[in-house]
Amino acid sequence: MAVRSSLLALALAVLALLAAFPAAAQDELQDGPKSLVISYRASAAHRVAFRRYLATNLAPRLRAMKAKGEISDFRIFYSWYRQPAVWDGLVILRFPTFAAVSGWNAIEHSEPGGLDAAGIALADPVASYSSDLAWSRNPDELKDGDVYYVIPYEYRNEGEYRDYVKAYVLPQFDGWIQTGALRGYEIYMNRYGTGSPWDSLFIQHYRGLAAFGKRQQITASVRDTLRNDPVWKAWSDKKAGIRSESENSIAELVAH
């Protein structure tokens, strides 16, 4: 009887755990989006000065907001190169609650994108996206000298896309972490995404230039092992019809 009771308790615990997985994937949708992704464009003449502004002006202000609990975290990235359809600066703000977003909205009344007059003279805040950090691993292990690879995607159906990320994308990312090349990752979902420029945004944290240089080699190696998994292989075969990818960015960390 004791053994039967123990087995029953174990079975119930397993069922409860399995039942929790679908809900966990949707947890962020039970409240308003608590991340804001802001992109900026600077002219070629202002790129150097705008990077300096982000590091010496905006970053200290964001650190002060974090110390007061007005934001829970932030990170500032800057693209390696100037590209036709890619931002120069990218700021991601995370808020402790959805209500806390209103504090940032008040700043936007006088400082679009959080830029004061000096910042506006150097760059334009092109777009701000209310987003959810839907999946991540070691997202706050941010290191100077690491390489941040940023990939925007559009998808045709959100539910299908979430299943695709769990079954196809995450096993690869976790495999890259196991090789030691990747330190962590963040996957943001645009809460109000309707297509271009992105519905989801991947940020991969590579452990320095050498690890990033082996990206293609490591990607192919991990995929070779995953092809033995029929579920992963099925998603791989149909991924082209699930999402489309636009211009990628290679970036450095300016501040966090």
Side-chain angles (χ1 to χ4, degrees), residues 69-107:
E70 296 170 349
I71 59 175
S72 56
D73 200 5
F74 76 93
R75 62 269 337 264
I76 302 175
F77 300 109
Y78 209 68
S79 64
W80 277 11
Y81 312 114
R82 182 170 170 79
Q83 297 167 257
V86 170
W87 42 268
D88 292 290
L90 188 75
V91 171
I92 300 179
L93 305 175
R94 295 190 197 150
F95 297 88
T97 64
F98 180 54
V101 177
S102 62
W104 182 261
N105 291 343
I107 292 174

Side-chain angles (χ1 to χ4, degrees), residues 198-252:
W198 60 268
D199 295 314
S200 71
L201 191 70
F202 292 6
I203 304 179
Q204 301 167 352
H205 304 189
Y206 280 88
R207 293 179 181 270
L209 200 60
F212 183 66
K214 297 178 181 178
R215 181 176 187 272
Q216 281 74 16
Q217 172 190 334
I218 292 167
T219 298
S221 175
V222 170
R223 284 179 177 173
D224 282 344
T225 63
L226 289 171
R227 285 191 179 93
N228 297 322
D229 180 342
V231 175
W232 186 90
K233 180 65 165 55
W235 283 104
S236 176
D237 291 342
K238 62 182 180 180
K239 66 181 181 180
I242 294 172
R243 87 291 183 271
S244 60
E245 180 179 345
S246 51
E247 193 169 4
N248 298 178
S249 306
I250 312 171
E252 63 175 314

Side-chain angles (χ1 to χ4, degrees), residues 181-204:
L182 210 64
R183 189 183 303 280
Y185 58 82
E186 306 161 59
I187 302 178
Y188 294 89
M189 294 282 281
N190 186 347
R191 176 68 72 93
Y192 309 116
T194 55
S196 182
W198 60 268
D199 295 314
S200 71
L201 191 70
F202 292 6
I203 304 179
Q204 301 167 352

Side-chain angles (χ1 to χ4, degrees), residues 39-200:
S39 57
Y40 306 85
R41 285 287 284 171
S43 68
H46 289 151
R47 249 182 75 90
V48 174
F50 184 57
R51 186 194 179 284
R52 186 183 307 115
Y53 170 89
L54 292 174
T56 61
N57 187 302
L58 184 60
R61 292 172 60 202
L62 294 179
R63 291 191 186 104
M65 292 179 68
K66 182 177 178 180
K68 295 176 183 176
E70 296 170 349
I71 59 175
S72 56
D73 200 5
F74 76 93
R75 62 269 337 264
I76 302 175
F77 300 109
Y78 209 68
S79 64
W80 277 11
Y81 312 114
R82 182 170 170 79
Q83 297 167 257
V86 170
W87 42 268
D88 292 290
L90 188 75
V91 171
I92 300 179
L93 305 175
R94 295 190 197 150
F95 297 88
T97 64
F98 180 54
V101 177
S102 62
W104 182 261
N105 291 343
I107 292 174
E108 289 272 359
H109 293 168
S110 58
E111 299 181 354
L115 303 184
D116 59 16
I120 289 294
L122 298 173
D124 294 323
V126 175
S128 298
Y129 299 103
S130 298
S131 308
D132 302 297
L133 180 58
W135 300 276
S136 65
R137 186 169 172 188
N138 307 327
D140 298 321
E141 289 190 20
L142 302 167
K143 305 291 183 182
D144 293 334
D146 278 3
V147 177
Y148 297 88
Y149 196 56
V150 184
I151 312 173
Y153 287 100
E154 298 172 44
Y155 53 70
R156 66 180 184 183
N157 177 276
E158 182 176 347
E160 176 188 51
Y161 185 78
R162 285 179 176 270
D163 290 340
Y164 156 80
V165 169
K166 288 183 286 186
Y168 176 79
V169 175
L170 298 186
Q172 288 187 84
F173 284 12
D174 291 338
W176 298 341
I177 287 176
Q178 289 175 8
T179 69
L182 210 64
R183 189 183 303 280
Y185 58 82
E186 306 161 59
I187 302 178
Y188 294 89
M189 294 282 281
N190 186 347
R191 176 68 72 93
Y192 309 116
T194 55
S196 182
W198 60 268
D199 295 314
S200 71

